[in-house]
Amino acid sequence: MLKFWRKSSSEDKLPEMLGITIGRAVTVDSISVKLLPKDSLIEVPQLTFSIVAQGHSDLGEQSHLHRFYPDDDSVLLQIQGGDGIKDERVDEIMLWSYYDVKYPSTDQQWHDIRRSICQTTFSLPGPEGNVVFERAWFDSSDQPEEPMQYWETISEDESGKSKRKIFQTAMLFARELSDGKDEMLLINMEEAEGSGERSVAYMLGRSLSQHELNT
């Protein structure tokens, strides 16, 4: 049986997911990118990435989020599934493209952004005008909803000993493209622990299957 996860010999050493971890390279199948419809806003400048950092979030209820940060900071690979040690389950693979990053300078700007992501729709400025996304989380509600909040622990070396933590406030939106598939918009408000630094990442995502990744 194919082992998607391998328990390390060191308690701190980072696990592998689908053969991916810090120091490894991963390639996205070129067909996946070439088949993006013209109305997609996603941009993937290169298909092979070297992973230089790895994040983990325990979302509770046996749900874990693993993020792999390439040397090219325009994209992010995210895999949701098992705990990375004993549970080998892979539930979802997403390739995220950074559309924009903002750095609010005042509390009012920060609160205004937080309020905007609670709404049922979000308008993203596009090259030909605003593009409207509908809220994917809490999609059965027609009222403002509180975003998800969680800590992400990010490691920047293979030993897993060099770590930093980021508190994240996030909401997920989606729109249907001309090919009938959804383009996702994840708005991630990030607060780095102990530094006071705050940023808001606007990421566009597309789901991938396991056979579309090569390591």
Side-chain angles (χ1 to χ4, degrees), residues 90-175:
V90 174
D91 298 329
E92 181 184 70
I93 304 172
M94 294 288 296
L95 180 65
W96 295 102
S97 167
Y98 282 86
Y99 187 77
D100 193 12
V101 179
K102 296 185 182 299
Y103 300 90
S105 58
T106 67
D107 288 341
Q108 186 61 53
Q109 291 175 338
W110 183 260
H111 294 316
D112 287 346
I113 294 173
R114 192 185 192 284
R115 189 179 305 111
S116 72
I117 69 174
C118 295
Q119 309 308 311
T120 58
T121 62
F122 188 89
S123 294
L124 188 71
E128 299 180 2
N130 288 345
V131 179
V132 178
F133 289 78
E134 296 184 353
R135 194 173 61 204
W137 290 339
F138 315 106
D139 58 336
S140 61
S141 169
D142 60 0
Q143 301 297 318
E145 297 288 347
E146 287 296 299
M148 285 188 60
Q149 294 185 312
Y150 51 89
W151 284 98
E152 181 183 14
T153 300
I154 299 177
S155 302
E156 297 177 331
D157 64 66
E158 295 179 61
S159 70
K161 295 179 180 179
S162 175
K163 298 180 179 180
R164 55 190 174 93
K165 295 183 70 175
I166 299 178
F167 185 68
Q168 307 194 18
T169 300
M171 185 62 81
L172 184 68
F173 298 84
R175 68 180 180 120

